[in-house]
Amino acid sequence: MHILHTADPGTLWTTRDANTKELKVDLFSASITPMEPAGGIASSADDMAKWLKLHMRNGQTPDGAAIINEKHMRDMHTAHMLLPPEFAGGRQNFFQPQFPESAALVGYGYGWFTSVYRGRQVVSHGGSLFAYRSNLAFLPDDDVGVFVSSTGPARYLSSQQLFYYITDLLLDLDPWLNTSTVCTFPAPWNSDDQRSSPSGPSPVPGALENSDLFVGQYGNLLFGDVEILHNGTGQLSLKFQRLVANLYKTDNDSLLLAEAIGPLSFLSHVGNTTEYMRITFSDSSPRADGKYQELQMHDVARVPLTFRRDVKFSDPVPDKVKNAGGETPLWKLLSQDV
């Protein structure tokens, strides 16, 4: 089992036979890949604190110079659309009397979520991908801001709960979370752990038949390129930016299961369980000798990511996407079959 050192992104603790060894691994080099959140901005805690203070001052620098119009800043932090309770799986919504305190996600402004925590307005935005998670939040009426960033399997991190705990301390309130319940939330108040992954298909032993139908490069204009290749052991592997995974067949000929290996192997090995990412293939066309033309990666983002053989990340954006109007988000247009 590998445990990522949350205080040092370049350190892994590897545990085998009850022996723990610390390894130095260059998990994240300076290179930026298309799938990185927010364009792959690399920052530091000090810089994020300055960015947070700029928003808390509504666009003013520490010496009072206005570099962004105050009205525009307030518009960013104001909800312009309501969010349904089931947004993000309802993980940010909990209420008394079941829980000691209440928090509710309300709406979305221009790049910022608005919510209420213990009766106070909160403006925030967080995100996660593969091996890390960050959350930036501030309380505009209390002059309090918190930035939390942690490495590890993103779906098991508790940056939101850490924000609650730290905010309570900064506001001189009695924290209702502690070092134990921050990690077990929503337990013990709710035993339904929403962070657990649903059960899914299992690998089938044996070599994959017609493996050449899967092999090749598939692209997406927004998220980059995926490569399926022979790994020299009679099996297939997947390479997607920093993610490398072994692929296993299932009872469904067009569904393969990906098991992360290498420095990011902890994505598939959480505790004593193995969690697979689903990769589905489609559009097996006679014009291409029966090879699959499209794949979808599941369990990586909130929606399946679609990649096609005839698309490369470096391709120019098609005119029909540039000129598209209506309410369809650009990311959705770029991730569709164009």
Side-chain angles (χ1 to χ4, degrees), residues 50-190:
K50 294 174 183 177
W51 174 245
L52 188 56
K53 289 178 180 178
L54 178 69
H55 282 272
M56 294 170 65
R57 298 190 187 102
N58 286 312
Q60 290 190 353
T61 63
D63 58 6
I67 60 174
I68 302 178
N69 186 285
E70 181 177 350
K71 179 183 181 301
H72 296 164
M73 295 294 288
R74 293 189 183 276
D75 282 344
M76 288 186 202
H77 306 151
T78 300
H80 298 282
M81 66 179 74
L82 296 178
L83 295 175
E86 63 271 15
F87 183 83
R91 299 179 189 180
Q92 300 188 44
N93 298 323
F94 53 88
F95 304 98
Q96 294 176 314
Q98 181 180 11
F99 292 87
E101 298 295 339
S102 298
L105 190 63
V106 177
Y108 192 66
Y110 299 139
W112 292 88
F113 293 99
T114 61
S115 58
V116 175
Y117 173 62
R118 298 188 75 162
R120 288 171 161 85
Q121 179 188 2
V122 178
V123 179
S124 65
H125 199 111
S128 63
L129 181 68
F130 293 155
Y132 52 94
R133 183 175 185 85
S134 298
N135 190 60
L136 186 73
F138 64 96
L139 284 66
D141 298 325
D142 294 277
D143 198 31
V144 166
V146 177
F147 170 67
V148 176
S149 188
S150 181
T151 51
R155 60 191 176 280
Y156 287 91
L157 298 180
S158 305
S159 60
Q160 191 71 31
Q161 284 69 54
L162 284 173
F163 161 73
Y164 298 143
Y165 181 76
I166 295 171
T167 298
D168 288 346
L169 296 177
L170 293 176
L171 294 176
D172 199 24
L173 299 174
D174 184 24
W176 59 280
L177 290 164
N178 55 42
T179 55
S180 175
T181 53
V182 159
C183 297
T184 63
F185 184 87
W189 303 283
N190 184 346

Side-chain angles (χ1 to χ4, degrees), residues 220-232:
N220 180 290
L221 293 176
L222 185 60
F223 298 117
D225 300 324
V226 173
E227 185 178 6
I228 307 296
L229 65 159
H230 293 285
N231 60 17

